[in-house]
Amino acid sequence: MDRRTIIKKAMLLAIPMMIQSGITNAVGLVDHIMVGSLGTEAMTAVSIVGQLLFVYALALIGGLSGPGIYTAQFYGQGNTEGVRASTRMKAIIAIVCTLIGTAVLLLFETPLINLYLHGESADIDSALTLGYAKDYLHIMLLGLPAMAVTQIYASSLRETGNSVKPMAAGIVSVVADVFFNYLLIYGSLGFPKMGVNGAAAATVIARYLEMITLLLWVYLHKKDHPFVQGLWSTLRVPRETGKRILIKTIPIFLNEFLWAASIAAMTQCFSTRGLEVVAGINISNVLCNLMNVVFVSLGCAVGILVGQSLGAGDFIMAKRQSFTLTWFTALLCMGLTFALIALSRVFPMLYQTTDEVRGIATDFIIATAIFFPVQGVLNTLYFTLRSGGKTLITFAFDSVFSWVVSIPLAFILCLFTDLPEISPCLSSTSSYKLRIS
């Protein structure tokens, strides 16, 4: 298989994921602007809750990624029963993650949200922001079960070479999200005007529609997906298979959980400089997340292709796929860098907020853009190592690095220096990445 064929196969997997994530993030952009029109407090509240739910989402994705390594390998071997076993493991892990995540967020909601409200601000009301955040969180928690079910099926479909169905379900979700946001945030067409709560309700409705769409599509075409036939006749997993999966899953789960927690901790460090900084970071993340779906999707495609090659015992092909796609991703990310810098001053003007918040957002966009090629290469290497089961190495160079280097450095720069906010941002950006959801 030559380089052109490798890139073509990767893009056939990645493009549907790019479309799904791109539409999702584009809708998130629209949602964010809608919420931002309600005031900086509303936008900041949604941002804070988003940080907390991000930890749950990454813990869930990390927990499912361990079994996912074996799903791709079992599929490469033609082992349908193995695919069923790994999918059942995903269900068990998802149930545990969702129950624990919901309990923690309900029991400790106030102290967790208050972690981001300590910075001084002359223009943002902390008490109002706290109230918005708690109301928003309570509604968003209702959508976690749907998110878990969708992730179980979507990840197994991608790992067995089908990323179109998750993409289609995702499109249904984002269209519904925009529609219900318009109805429920502003009270359009006779619906109640719910503001921030309307944004949360719209997201929950969209999550359940996505889940229902995906399940209907899969089970109406069971012949195309043999592993779903008899999938839930039992939740039992062969002891040896379960043991192997857990050995790989635990480091990945801890890595994703600790890495997501490190991003939340990083934002908390920035919040000591004022809530304007939190708002600025939030604006920056909306645009940057829209762009980074390119290298995130390619990273997932690398993990799937390399995992299938390893499962088939073709180690030479696995190496060739990894090297080819790493450099291809780096080149694409260089183009994204220029696009982000070009938009860095224009995009923040879409928000009804202060000039200070817009200026902070511009600085963070530029800082993130500079490191995009580095992020692309690191993301590809991360998924290559993980597809081969080298989870301890990815753990050391991912979450451990964030907690040992990035967070202490950001903490020191934020609390003990008068340097501008962009300085701690530069200290942490090189380890920053997102996973596809």
Side-chain angles (χ1 to χ4, degrees):
M1 188 184 298
D2 59 19
R3 291 181 179 178
R4 182 173 296 180
T5 305
I6 290 171
I7 292 172
K8 182 179 179 180
K9 288 190 69 174
M11 294 303 289
L12 286 174
L13 279 172
I15 286 175
M17 289 187 274
M18 289 180 194
I19 293 172
Q20 179 187 356
S21 295
I23 293 174
T24 300
N25 285 305
V27 171
L29 184 154
V30 174
D31 293 351
H32 200 255
I33 293 173
M34 288 182 181
V35 172
S37 69
L38 302 175
T40 305
E41 288 88 355
M43 181 178 68
T44 305
V46 171
S47 171
I48 291 171
V49 174
Q51 289 286 340
L52 300 178
L53 292 176
F54 181 65
V55 178
Y56 160 79
L58 264 292
L60 175 65
I61 293 171
L64 303 187
S65 294
I69 293 172
Y70 287 93
T71 303
Q73 293 185 5
F74 287 141
Y75 180 74
Q77 297 165 3
N79 183 354
T80 302
E81 190 54 46
V83 175
R84 291 192 187 103
S86 61
T87 303
R88 290 171 187 143
M89 282 293 295
K90 290 180 181 181
I92 295 169
I93 292 168
I95 291 170
V96 173
C97 283
T98 302
L99 290 175
I100 294 176
T102 301
V104 170
L105 290 171
L106 281 176
L107 291 172
F108 303 102
E109 57 178 356
T110 300
L112 287 172
I113 294 169
N114 275 331
L115 286 173
Y116 299 88
L117 300 178
H118 290 313
E120 296 181 0
S121 174
D123 300 315
I124 302 177
D125 186 333
S126 295
L128 182 60
T129 303
L130 175 62
Y132 281 146
K134 292 174 72 171
D135 291 342
Y136 184 80
L137 175 63
H138 293 162
I139 299 172
M140 288 292 289
L141 289 176
L142 299 175
L144 298 192
M147 179 180 179
V149 172
T150 300
Q151 284 296 327
I152 292 167
Y153 279 89
S155 60
S156 289
L157 287 171
R158 292 188 188 110
E159 290 146 5
T160 55
N162 192 328
S163 56
V164 175
K165 287 181 175 65
M167 177 196 73
I171 291 173
V172 170
S173 173
V174 296
V175 171
D177 192 33
V178 169
F179 178 67
F180 284 105
N181 264 309
Y182 173 71
L183 296 181
L184 298 175
I185 291 177
Y186 301 119
S188 304
L189 302 179
F191 280 77
K193 184 177 181 179
M194 299 172 63
V196 172
N197 291 346
T203 300
V204 171
I205 293 170
R207 288 201 187 284
Y208 279 96
L209 287 175
E210 179 181 21
M211 179 190 73
I212 292 168
T213 301
L214 186 60
L215 291 178
L216 284 175
W217 199 336
V218 168
Y219 283 98
L220 287 175
H221 301 84
K222 288 193 292 186
K223 291 183 179 179
D224 297 333
H225 312 289
F227 76 93
V228 304
Q229 300 176 30
L231 177 60
W232 306 120
S233 59
T234 178
L235 272 179
R236 296 186 63 181
V237 177
R239 184 186 298 271
E240 187 59 33
T241 301
K243 182 179 178 181
R244 287 165 55 200
I245 290 175
L246 280 177
I247 289 172
K248 296 300 181 185
T249 298
I250 291 173
I252 296 177
F253 170 79
L254 290 175
N255 179 60
E256 299 293 331
F257 174 77
L258 291 173
W259 180 81
S262 76
I263 298 302
M266 194 77 66
T267 304
Q268 196 280 328
C269 290
F270 291 135
S271 72
T272 61
R273 293 292 187 93
L275 290 178
E276 289 86 357
V277 177
V278 177
I281 292 174
N282 195 24
I283 294 172
S284 168
N285 286 343
V286 170
L287 178 61
C288 294
N289 290 349
L290 181 62
M291 294 289 190
N292 68 20
V293 298
V294 174
F295 68 76
V296 173
S297 300
L298 277 170
C300 291
V302 169
I304 292 168
L305 290 177
V306 173
Q308 290 176 357
S309 296
L310 291 174
D314 194 343
F315 300 104
I316 294 176
M317 177 55 63
K319 290 174 62 176
R320 185 179 301 166
Q321 288 168 331
S322 177
F323 287 136
T324 299
L325 295 173
T326 296
W327 289 110
F328 178 67
T329 302
L331 290 173
L332 286 180
C333 287
M334 289 179 67
L336 294 176
T337 294
F338 292 110
L340 273 174
I341 292 174
L343 292 171
S344 63
R345 295 190 181 279
V346 177
F347 180 74
M349 299 302 295
L350 297 174
Y351 288 83
Q352 298 296 319
T353 187
T354 64
D355 290 338
E356 181 183 2
V357 171
R358 294 192 187 103
I360 292 170
T362 296
D363 291 342
F364 275 92
I365 291 170
I366 293 172
T368 304
I370 291 170
F371 282 93
F372 251 48
V374 176
Q375 292 175 26
V377 171
L378 292 177
N379 194 66
T380 304
L381 296 178
Y382 174 90
F383 279 100
T384 298
L385 289 169
R386 202 171 75 176
S387 68
K390 300 297 183 181
T391 53
L392 289 176
I393 296 176
T394 58
F395 180 75
F397 285 96
D398 198 10
S399 59
V400 172
F401 179 86
S402 294
W403 282 99
V404 173
V405 179
S406 299
I407 291 176
L409 188 55
F411 178 81
I412 291 169
L413 292 174
C414 284
L415 268 70
F416 301 108
T417 75
D418 294 325
L419 293 172
E421 290 79 14
I422 195 65
S423 302
C425 174
L426 288 170
S427 75
S428 60
T429 304
S430 60
S431 66
Y432 186 82
K433 64 182 183 301
L434 289 176
R435 313 291 196 269
I436 195 165
S437 58

